[in-house]
Amino acid sequence: SQKIEQNSEALNIQEGKTATLTCNYTNYSPAYLQWYRQDPGRGPVFLLLIRENEKEKRKERLKVTFDTTLKQSLFHITASQPADSATYLCALHTGGFKTIFGAGTRLFVKA
Amino acid sequence: AAGVIQSPRHLIKEKRETATLKCYPIPRHDTVYWYQQGPGQDPQFLISFYEKMQSDKGSIPDRFSAQQFSDYHSELNMSSLELGDSALYFCASEQREKNTEAFFGQGTRLTVV
């Protein structure tokens, strides 16, 4: 069956360190993969998109990698700040008219 | 800039009642998605529309129906409500040809009592 897996346990890191979140998928061939941030009680907010023919994408302190062989994406936040604390969702766009979300990983950045 | 508007923001209904949730996409966005997010869970895809036609269907119960109107706004109708329908319902819109990101509304929090 098709599945998206993200770290189910919360990630706790110290301010200034790099946070790395993992998204693994099976039985999908996504056209592209997205990362969203979600704060409690609010809608997900788009952060980055990476296409199947791209290995890496950067935006300010954010970096996403996409390995279609391993079926994995890594999401990095460098120089993390307490304001980065949120749930981060990985989402696959299957080429049809739907985006499938992972369960998300909660990130806590301690000052 | 205009965002995705959802109404109402909060809704309390009793079991077996009917609820209607509305979504107004960003202007010129031709695709609308509906998602359901239970407490502590990831958003679950329900249904999507492209150019006013249903384009894909996810885990939407038969008690739910949705449509997209000529002005591109969409409504999610939920009948015979159950306690388990209590969740945040998100609508997202996208401009299909750009194929980049979906913009989410703030959600409607439905509580069934």
Side-chain angles (χ1 to χ4, degrees):
Chain A
S1 63
Q2 298 170 323
K3 211 187 322 184
I4 302 174
E5 289 182 343
Q6 295 187 249
N7 310 40
S8 57
E9 293 180 14
L11 183 62
N12 292 282
I13 64 167
Q14 200 66 37
E15 182 177 13
K17 300 292 185 185
T18 296
T20 298
L21 285 66
T22 304
C23 174
N24 294 296
Y25 60 93
T26 57
N27 297 328
Y28 281 115
S29 294
Y32 55 85
L33 185 148
Q34 301 167 315
W35 283 88
Y36 287 81
R37 169 185 172 140
Q38 187 174 26
D39 293 285
R42 303 181 74 89
V45 174
F46 171 79
L47 296 175
L48 275 172
L49 177 151
I50 187 163
R51 300 187 187 280
E52 57 181 339
N53 61 347
E54 298 175 318
K55 297 287 186 194
E56 182 180 297
K57 191 72 86 66
R58 290 175 186 261
K59 180 181 175 184
E60 297 171 354
R61 295 184 297 112
L62 308 181
K63 185 177 87 170
V64 172
T65 63
F66 193 12
D67 189 326
T68 55
T69 302
L70 291 178
K71 294 186 182 295
Q72 181 182 78
S73 175
L74 298 179
F75 177 77
H76 306 272
I77 305 176
T78 58
S80 59
Q81 305 165 0
D84 295 328
S85 299
T87 296
Y88 291 85
L89 301 165
C90 159
L92 303 183
H93 201 295
T94 61
F97 286 88
K98 61 183 175 184
T99 297
I100 308 297
F101 283 86
T105 298
R106 292 207 69 188
L107 172 66
F108 294 98
V109 181
K110 291 180 281 192
Chain B
V4 177
I5 306 294
Q6 289 189 247
S7 68
R9 291 294 309 278
H10 302 272
L11 189 59
I12 299 176
K13 290 284 184 178
E14 294 188 355
K15 279 195 305 185
R16 292 179 289 278
E17 282 193 318
T18 297
T20 297
L21 280 55
K22 297 185 180 184
C23 170
Y24 297 86
I26 292 173
R28 290 181 295 282
H29 279 196
D30 49 24
T31 305
V32 166
Y33 302 87
W34 283 97
Y35 290 86
Q36 176 192 59
Q37 188 172 31
Q41 298 180 0
D42 55 304
Q44 293 291 320
F45 171 74
L46 293 177
I47 195 166
S48 62
F49 293 87
Y50 170 66
E51 284 292 345
K52 295 159 276 185
M53 299 283 288
Q54 180 186 309
S55 56
D56 215 335
K57 212 169 178 180
S59 49
I60 184 168
D62 292 340
R63 298 177 289 109
F64 294 7
S65 65
Q67 56 182 322
Q68 188 176 30
F69 294 86
S70 58
D71 64 351
Y72 290 92
H73 94 272
S74 178
E75 294 184 3
L76 178 65
N77 297 293
M78 309 157 70
S79 62
S80 303
L81 288 169
E82 301 173 357
L83 296 178
D85 296 329
S86 297
L88 262 175
Y89 289 84
F90 289 108
C91 164
S93 76
E94 180 180 72
Q95 192 169 2
R96 193 73 195 128
E97 63 178 19
K98 287 198 171 181
N99 216 19
T100 53
E101 62 183 279
F103 292 83
F104 282 78
Q106 294 284 47
T108 293
R109 182 173 293 283
L110 172 67
T111 303
V112 181
V113 298

